[in-house]
Coordinates of all heavy atoms in Angstrom, one line a residue:
M514 N -181.8 140.9 59.3 CA -181.6 142.3 59.6 C -180.2 142.7 59.3 O -179.3 141.8 59.4 CB -181.9 142.6 61.1 CG -183.4 142.6 61.4 SD -183.7 142.8 63.2 CE -183.3 141.2 63.8
R515 N -180.0 143.9 59.1 CA -178.6 144.4 58.8 C -178.5 145.9 59.1 O -179.5 146.5 59.3 CB -178.2 144.2 57.3 CG -179.0 145.0 56.3 CD -178.7 144.7 54.9 NE -179.1 145.7 54.0 CZ -180.4 145.8 53.6 NH1 -181.3 145.0 54.0 NH2 -180.7 146.8 52.7
V516 N -177.3 146.3 59.3 CA -177.0 147.7 59.6 C -176.2 148.3 58.4 O -175.2 147.7 58.0 CB -176.2 147.9 60.9 CG1 -175.8 149.4 61.1 CG2 -177.0 147.4 62.0
E517 N -176.7 149.4 57.8 CA -175.9 150.1 56.8 C -176.1 151.6 57.1 O -177.2 152.1 57.3 CB -176.6 149.8 55.4 CG -176.3 148.5 54.9 CD -176.9 148.2 53.5 OE1 -177.2 149.2 52.8 OE2 -177.1 147.1 53.1
N518 N -174.9 152.3 57.0 CA -174.9 153.8 57.2 C -175.6 154.2 58.5 O -176.4 155.1 58.5 CB -175.6 154.5 56.0 CG -174.8 154.2 54.7 OD1 -173.6 154.2 54.7 ND2 -175.5 154.1 53.6
N519 N -175.4 153.4 59.5 CA -175.9 153.7 60.8 C -177.5 153.6 60.9 O -178.1 154.3 61.7 CB -175.5 155.1 61.3 CG -175.4 155.1 62.8 OD1 -175.1 154.1 63.5 ND2 -175.7 156.3 63.4
R520 N -178.0 152.8 60.0 CA -179.5 152.5 60.0 C -179.7 151.0 60.1 O -178.9 150.2 59.5 CB -180.1 153.0 58.7 CG -180.1 154.5 58.6 CD -180.8 155.0 57.4 NE -180.8 156.4 57.3 CZ -181.3 157.1 56.3 NH1 -181.8 156.5 55.3 NH2 -181.3 158.4 56.3
V521 N -180.7 150.6 60.7 CA -181.1 149.2 60.8 C -182.2 148.9 59.8 O -183.2 149.6 59.7 CB -181.6 148.9 62.3 CG1 -182.1 147.4 62.3 CG2 -180.5 149.1 63.3
F522 N -182.0 147.8 59.0 CA -182.9 147.4 58.1 C -183.5 146.1 58.6 O -182.8 145.1 58.9 CB -182.3 147.1 56.7 CG -181.8 148.4 56.0 CD1 -180.7 149.1 56.4 CD2 -182.6 149.0 55.0 CE1 -180.2 150.2 55.8 CE2 -182.2 150.2 54.4 CZ -181.0 150.8 54.8
A523 N -184.8 146.0 58.6 CA -185.5 144.8 59.1 C -186.7 144.5 58.3 O -187.4 145.4 57.8 CB -185.9 145.0 60.6
D524 N -187.0 143.2 58.1 CA -188.2 142.8 57.4 C -189.4 142.9 58.3 O -189.3 142.8 59.5 CB -188.0 141.3 56.9 CG -187.0 141.2 55.8 OD1 -186.8 142.2 55.1 OD2 -186.5 140.1 55.7
A525 N -190.6 143.0 57.7 CA -191.8 143.1 58.5 C -192.1 142.0 59.4 O -192.7 142.1 60.5 CB -193.0 143.3 57.5
G526 N -191.6 140.8 59.1 CA -191.9 139.6 59.9 C -191.0 139.4 61.1 O -191.2 138.4 61.8
V527 N -190.0 140.2 61.3 CA -189.1 140.1 62.4 C -189.9 140.4 63.7 O -190.6 141.4 63.8 CB -187.9 141.0 62.2 CG1 -187.0 141.0 63.5 CG2 -187.1 140.7 61.0
T528 N -189.7 139.6 64.7 CA -190.4 139.8 66.0 C -189.8 141.1 66.6 O -188.6 141.4 66.5 CB -190.3 138.7 66.9 OG1 -188.9 138.5 67.3 CG2 -190.9 137.4 66.4
M529 N -190.6 141.8 67.4 CA -190.2 143.0 68.1 C -189.0 142.7 69.0 O -188.1 143.4 69.1 CB -191.3 143.7 68.8 CG -192.3 144.3 67.9 SD -191.5 145.6 66.8 CE -190.9 146.7 68.0
G530 N -189.1 141.5 69.8 CA -188.1 141.2 70.7 C -186.7 141.0 70.0 O -185.7 141.5 70.5
R531 N -186.8 140.3 68.9 CA -185.5 140.1 68.1 C -185.0 141.4 67.5 O -183.8 141.6 67.5 CB -185.8 139.1 67.0 CG -184.6 138.6 66.3 CD -184.9 137.4 65.4 NE -183.8 137.3 64.4 CZ -184.0 137.1 63.1 NH1 -185.2 137.0 62.6 NH2 -182.9 137.1 62.3
F532 N -185.9 142.2 67.1 CA -185.5 143.5 66.5 C -184.8 144.4 67.6 O -183.7 145.0 67.4 CB -186.7 144.3 66.0 CG -186.5 145.7 65.5 CD1 -185.8 145.9 64.4 CD2 -186.9 146.8 66.3 CE1 -185.5 147.2 64.0 CE2 -186.7 148.1 65.9 CZ -186.0 148.3 64.7
V533 N -185.4 144.5 68.8 CA -184.9 145.3 69.9 C -183.5 144.7 70.3 O -182.5 145.5 70.5 CB -185.8 145.3 71.1 CG1 -185.2 145.9 72.3 CG2 -187.1 146.1 70.7
D534 N -183.4 143.4 70.5 CA -182.1 142.8 70.8 C -181.0 143.1 69.8 O -179.9 143.5 70.2 CB -182.2 141.2 70.9 CG -183.0 140.8 72.2 OD1 -183.2 141.6 73.1 OD2 -183.4 139.6 72.2
F535 N -181.4 143.0 68.5 CA -180.4 143.3 67.5 C -179.9 144.8 67.6 O -178.7 145.0 67.5 CB -181.1 143.1 66.1 CG -180.2 143.3 64.9 CD1 -179.5 142.3 64.4 CD2 -180.2 144.6 64.3 CE1 -178.7 142.5 63.3 CE2 -179.4 144.8 63.2 CZ -178.6 143.8 62.7
C536 N -180.9 145.7 67.8 CA -180.5 147.1 67.9 C -179.6 147.4 69.1 O -178.6 148.1 69.0 CB -181.8 148.0 68.0 SG -182.7 148.0 66.4
V537 N -180.0 146.9 70.3 CA -179.3 147.1 71.5 C -177.9 146.5 71.4 O -176.9 147.2 71.8 CB -180.1 146.5 72.7 CG1 -179.2 146.5 74.0 CG2 -181.4 147.3 72.9
Q538 N -177.8 145.3 70.9 CA -176.4 144.7 70.8 C -175.5 145.5 69.9 O -174.3 145.4 70.0 CB -176.6 143.3 70.2 CG -177.2 142.3 71.2 CD -177.5 141.0 70.6 OE1 -177.2 140.7 69.5 NE2 -178.1 140.1 71.4
R539 N -176.0 146.3 69.0 CA -175.2 147.1 68.1 C -175.1 148.6 68.5 O -174.7 149.4 67.8 CB -175.8 147.0 66.7 CG -175.4 145.6 66.1 CD -176.3 145.1 65.1 NE -175.9 143.8 64.6 CZ -176.2 142.7 65.3 NH1 -176.9 142.7 66.4 NH2 -175.8 141.5 64.8
G540 N -175.6 148.9 69.7 CA -175.4 150.2 70.3 C -176.5 151.2 69.9 O -176.3 152.4 70.2
F541 N -177.6 150.8 69.3 CA -178.7 151.8 69.0 C -179.5 152.0 70.3 O -180.0 151.0 70.9 CB -179.5 151.3 67.9 CG -178.9 151.3 66.6 CD1 -178.2 150.1 66.1 CD2 -178.8 152.4 65.8 CE1 -177.5 150.1 64.9 CE2 -178.2 152.4 64.6 CZ -177.5 151.3 64.1
K542 N -179.6 153.2 70.7 CA -180.3 153.6 72.0 C -181.7 154.0 71.7 O -182.0 154.6 70.7 CB -179.6 154.7 72.7 CG -178.1 154.4 72.9 CD -177.9 153.5 74.0 CE -176.4 153.4 74.3 NZ -176.0 152.2 75.0
G543 N -182.6 153.8 72.7 CA -184.0 154.3 72.7 C -185.0 153.3 72.3 O -186.2 153.4 72.7
V544 N -184.7 152.2 71.6 CA -185.7 151.3 71.2 C -186.0 150.3 72.3 O -186.9 149.5 72.1 CB -185.2 150.5 69.9 CG1 -185.1 151.4 68.7 CG2 -183.9 149.7 70.2
E545 N -185.3 150.3 73.4 CA -185.6 149.4 74.5 C -187.0 149.4 74.9 O -187.6 148.4 75.4 CB -184.7 149.7 75.7 CG -183.2 149.6 75.4 CD -182.6 150.9 74.9 OE1 -183.4 151.9 74.6 OE2 -181.4 151.0 74.8
M546 N -187.7 150.6 74.8 CA -189.1 150.7 75.3 C -190.0 149.8 74.4 O -191.1 149.6 74.8 CB -189.5 152.2 75.3 CG -189.4 152.9 74.0 SD -190.7 152.7 72.9 CE -190.3 153.8 71.6
L547 N -189.6 149.3 73.3 CA -190.4 148.5 72.5 C -190.3 147.0 72.8 O -191.0 146.2 72.2 CB -190.0 148.7 71.0 CG -190.2 150.1 70.4 CD1 -189.6 150.2 69.1 CD2 -191.7 150.5 70.4
A548 N -189.4 146.7 73.7 CA -189.0 145.3 74.0 C -190.2 144.4 74.4 O -190.3 143.3 74.1 CB -187.9 145.2 75.0
G549 N -191.1 144.9 75.2 CA -192.2 144.1 75.7 C -193.4 144.1 74.8 O -194.5 143.5 75.1
I550 N -193.4 144.7 73.6 CA -194.5 144.7 72.7 C -194.5 143.5 71.9 O -193.6 143.1 71.2 CB -194.4 146.0 71.8 CG1 -194.6 147.2 72.7 CG2 -195.5 145.9 70.7 CD1 -194.4 148.5 71.9
P551 N -195.6 142.7 72.0 CA -195.7 141.5 71.2 C -195.9 141.7 69.7 O -196.4 142.8 69.3 CB -196.9 140.8 71.8 CG -197.8 141.9 72.3 CD -196.8 143.0 72.7
G552 N -195.5 140.8 68.9 CA -195.8 140.9 67.5 C -194.5 141.2 66.7 O -193.4 140.9 67.1
T553 N -194.7 141.7 65.5 CA -193.6 141.9 64.5 C -193.4 143.3 64.2 O -194.2 144.2 64.5 CB -194.0 141.2 63.2 OG1 -195.2 141.8 62.7 CG2 -194.2 139.7 63.4
V554 N -192.3 143.6 63.5 CA -192.0 145.0 63.1 C -193.1 145.5 62.2 O -193.5 146.6 62.4 CB -190.6 145.0 62.4 CG1 -190.3 146.3 61.8 CG2 -189.5 144.7 63.4
G555 N -193.5 144.7 61.3 CA -194.6 145.2 60.4 C -195.9 145.6 61.1 O -196.5 146.6 60.9
G556 N -196.3 144.7 62.1 CA -197.4 145.0 62.9 C -197.3 146.3 63.7 O -198.2 147.1 63.9
A557 N -196.1 146.4 64.3 CA -195.8 147.6 65.1 C -195.8 148.8 64.3 O -196.3 149.9 64.8 CB -194.4 147.4 65.8
L558 N -195.3 148.8 63.1 CA -195.4 149.9 62.2 C -196.8 150.3 61.8 O -197.2 151.4 61.8 CB -194.5 149.7 60.9 CG -193.0 149.7 61.1 CD1 -192.3 149.3 59.9 CD2 -192.5 151.0 61.6
M559 N -197.6 149.2 61.5 CA -199.0 149.4 61.1 C -199.8 150.1 62.2 O -200.6 151.0 61.9 CB -199.6 148.1 60.8 CG -201.0 148.2 60.2 SD -200.9 148.8 58.6 CE -202.6 148.7 58.2
M560 N -199.5 149.8 63.5 CA -200.3 150.3 64.6 C -199.5 151.4 65.3 O -200.0 152.0 66.3 CB -200.5 149.2 65.6 CG -201.3 148.0 65.0 SD -202.9 148.5 64.3 CE -203.8 148.9 65.8
N561 N -198.3 151.8 64.9 CA -197.5 152.8 65.5 C -197.3 152.4 67.0 O -197.6 153.2 67.9 CB -198.0 154.2 65.3 CG -196.9 155.2 65.7 OD1 -195.7 154.9 65.6 ND2 -197.3 156.4 66.1
A562 N -196.9 151.2 67.2 CA -196.7 150.7 68.6 C -195.8 151.6 69.4 O -194.8 152.2 68.9 CB -196.2 149.3 68.6
G563 N -196.1 151.7 70.7 CA -195.2 152.5 71.6 C -195.5 152.1 73.0 O -196.4 151.4 73.4
A564 N -194.6 152.7 73.9 CA -194.7 152.5 75.3 C -193.8 153.5 76.0 O -192.8 154.0 75.4 CB -194.3 151.1 75.7
Y565 N -194.1 153.8 77.2 CA -193.3 154.7 78.0 C -193.0 156.1 77.3 O -191.9 156.6 77.4 CB -192.0 154.1 78.4 CG -192.2 152.7 79.1 CD1 -191.9 151.5 78.5 CD2 -192.7 152.7 80.4 CE1 -192.1 150.3 79.1 CE2 -193.0 151.5 81.0 CZ -192.7 150.3 80.4 OH -192.9 149.1 81.0
G566 N -194.0 156.6 76.6 CA -193.8 157.9 76.0 C -193.2 157.9 74.7 O -192.9 159.0 74.1
G567 N -192.8 156.8 74.1 CA -192.2 156.7 72.8 C -193.0 155.8 71.8 O -193.8 155.0 72.3
E568 N -192.8 156.0 70.6 CA -193.4 155.2 69.5 C -192.4 154.8 68.5 O -191.4 155.4 68.3 CB -194.5 156.1 68.8 CG -195.6 156.6 69.8 CD -196.5 157.6 69.1 OE1 -196.0 158.3 68.2 OE2 -197.6 157.8 69.6
I569 N -192.8 153.7 67.8 CA -191.8 153.2 66.8 C -191.6 154.2 65.7 O -190.5 154.3 65.1 CB -192.3 151.8 66.2 CG1 -191.1 151.2 65.5 CG2 -193.5 152.0 65.4 CD1 -191.4 149.7 65.2
S570 N -192.6 155.1 65.4 CA -192.4 156.1 64.4 C -191.3 157.1 64.8 O -190.8 157.8 63.9 CB -193.7 156.9 64.2 OG -194.2 157.5 65.3
D571 N -191.0 157.2 66.1 CA -189.9 158.1 66.5 C -188.5 157.7 65.9 O -187.6 158.5 65.8 CB -189.7 158.1 68.0 CG -191.0 158.7 68.7 OD1 -191.7 159.4 68.1 OD2 -191.2 158.3 69.9
F572 N -188.5 156.4 65.4 CA -187.2 155.9 64.9 C -187.3 155.6 63.4 O -186.3 155.2 62.8 CB -186.8 154.6 65.7 CG -186.8 154.8 67.2 CD1 -187.8 154.5 68.0 CD2 -185.6 155.3 67.7 CE1 -187.8 154.7 69.4 CE2 -185.5 155.6 69.1 CZ -186.6 155.3 69.9
L573 N -188.4 155.7 62.9 CA -188.6 155.3 61.5 C -188.1 156.3 60.5 O -188.3 157.5 60.6 CB -190.2 155.2 61.2 CG -190.6 154.7 59.8 CD1 -190.1 153.3 59.6 CD2 -192.1 154.7 59.7
V574 N -187.3 155.8 59.5 CA -186.7 156.7 58.5 C -187.4 156.5 57.2 O -187.7 157.4 56.5 CB -185.2 156.5 58.4 CG1 -184.6 157.3 57.2 CG2 -184.5 156.8 59.7
D575 N -187.6 155.2 56.8 CA -188.2 154.9 55.5 C -188.9 153.5 55.6 O -188.5 152.7 56.4 CB -187.0 154.9 54.5 CG -187.5 154.9 53.1 OD1 -188.6 155.2 52.8 OD2 -186.7 154.5 52.2
V576 N -189.9 153.4 54.7 CA -190.5 152.1 54.6 C -190.6 151.7 53.1 O -190.9 152.6 52.2 CB -192.0 152.2 55.1 CG1 -192.7 150.9 54.8 CG2 -192.0 152.5 56.6
E577 N -190.3 150.5 52.8 CA -190.4 150.0 51.4 C -191.6 149.0 51.4 O -191.5 148.0 52.1 CB -189.1 149.4 50.9 CG -189.2 148.9 49.5 CD -187.9 148.4 49.0 OE1 -186.8 148.6 49.6 OE2 -187.9 147.7 48.0
I578 N -192.5 149.2 50.5 CA -193.7 148.4 50.4 C -193.6 147.6 49.1 O -193.5 148.2 48.1 CB -195.0 149.2 50.5 CG1 -195.1 149.9 51.8 CG2 -196.2 148.3 50.3 CD1 -196.2 150.9 51.9
L579 N -193.8 146.3 49.3 CA -193.8 145.4 48.1 C -195.2 144.8 48.0 O -195.7 144.3 49.0 CB -192.8 144.3 48.2 CG -191.3 144.7 48.5 CD1 -190.4 143.5 48.7 CD2 -190.8 145.6 47.3
R580 N -195.8 144.8 46.8 CA -197.1 144.2 46.6 C -196.9 143.0 45.7 O -196.3 143.1 44.6 CB -198.1 145.2 46.0 CG -198.5 146.3 47.0 CD -199.5 147.1 46.3 NE -199.8 148.2 47.2 CZ -201.0 148.4 47.8 NH1 -202.0 147.6 47.4 NH2 -201.2 149.4 48.6
A581 N -197.5 141.9 46.1 CA -197.5 140.7 45.2 C -198.7 140.7 44.3 O -199.8 141.1 44.8 CB -197.5 139.5 46.1
A582 N -198.6 140.4 43.1 CA -199.7 140.3 42.2 C -200.5 139.1 42.5 O -200.0 138.0 42.7 CB -199.3 140.3 40.7
L583 N -201.8 139.2 42.6 CA -202.7 138.1 42.8 C -202.9 137.3 41.5 O -203.1 138.0 40.4 CB -204.0 138.5 43.3 CG -204.0 139.2 44.7 CD1 -205.4 139.6 45.1 CD2 -203.5 138.2 45.7
C584 N -202.8 136.0 41.5 CA -203.0 135.3 40.3 C -203.9 134.1 40.6 O -203.9 133.6 41.8 CB -201.7 134.8 39.7 SG -200.7 133.8 40.8
S585 N -204.7 133.6 39.7 CA -205.5 132.5 39.9 C -204.8 131.2 39.4 O -204.1 131.3 38.4 CB -206.9 132.6 39.2 OG -206.7 132.9 37.9
I586 N -205.1 130.1 40.0 CA -204.4 128.9 39.6 C -205.4 128.0 38.9 O -206.5 127.9 39.3 CB -203.8 128.2 40.8 CG1 -202.7 129.1 41.4 CG2 -203.2 126.8 40.4 CD1 -202.0 128.6 42.6

């Protein structure tokens, strides 16, 4: 994970707990409500995870999707 231009960039496989800790340690407010949600950032985005009246989409700015080409061996 990294912070650029006051935005947090995280890969889909980062656990929600680690993501929330990273954000809180850097002074980003509001994401604490996601701390108890199991799974990963990618899963949370897919399901629009939320708690206590907030959802991860409230903080989402952009998503970059990468597709791997399937190949036979």
Side-chain angles (χ1 to χ4, degrees):
M514 285 178 285
R515 69 184 192 283
V516 176
E517 289 181 17
N518 299 320
N519 208 34
R520 293 183 180 175
V521 176
F522 291 78
D524 291 334
V527 174
T528 64
M529 287 304 296
R531 189 166 161 229
F532 174 74
V533 171
D534 286 345
F535 182 89
C536 292
V537 169
Q538 290 172 3
R539 284 153 183 83
F541 291 93
K542 306 283 185 199
V544 295
E545 301 88 351
M546 54 88 175
L547 299 170
I550 296 175
T553 62
V554 170
L558 290 172
M559 185 72 176
M560 301 302 292
N561 194 27
Y565 306 109
E568 300 168 337
I569 196 165
S570 63
D571 297 335
F572 304 97
L573 185 63
V574 175
D575 193 16
V576 174
E577 183 175 343
I578 299 172
L579 303 175
R580 290 185 184 242
L583 298 176
C584 61
S585 57
I586 298 176

